[in-house]
Amino acid sequence: MSSPVIIAALAAGLAGLSPPAINVPSAVVRAAGDCSAAAAQVVAETGGELLSAQPTSDGQCVITVLIPGNGGRPKKVTVKVPM
């Protein structure tokens, strides 16, 4: 089932209207950017797929990746690394 917001944005785009602006606090955007390098490093080291990257209050990042299994279920691994 599609979200009414997505449908409205698509309809507005087709009609030539610009979609409504979404206000995101700048602190959220900066924090997400701070963990991007740490997340990229963990993904490269594990060969997994990034599930989440969250900053902590102590300057660390909690990175969760999904590592493919050998014919079985993938393994979910969570690591805490410096930003």
Side-chain angles (χ1 to χ4, degrees):
M1 180 170 201
S2 297
S3 164
V5 174
I6 294 172
I7 293 170
L10 178 60
L14 292 174
L17 304 173
S18 62
I22 299 174
N23 293 328
V24 177
S26 59
V28 172
V29 174
R30 278 195 303 272
D34 289 343
C35 286
S36 62
Q41 179 182 353
V42 171
V43 168
E45 289 174 359
T46 62
E49 178 182 345
L50 180 65
L51 292 179
S52 68
Q54 298 176 328
T56 63
S57 60
D58 63 350
Q60 301 272 324
C61 292
V62 177
I63 311 295
T64 304
V65 294
L66 197 59
I67 301 174
N70 294 336
R73 293 182 61 177
K75 182 178 177 183
K76 182 177 170 183
V77 175
T78 301
V79 293
K80 191 172 184 181
V81 294
M83 278 191 202

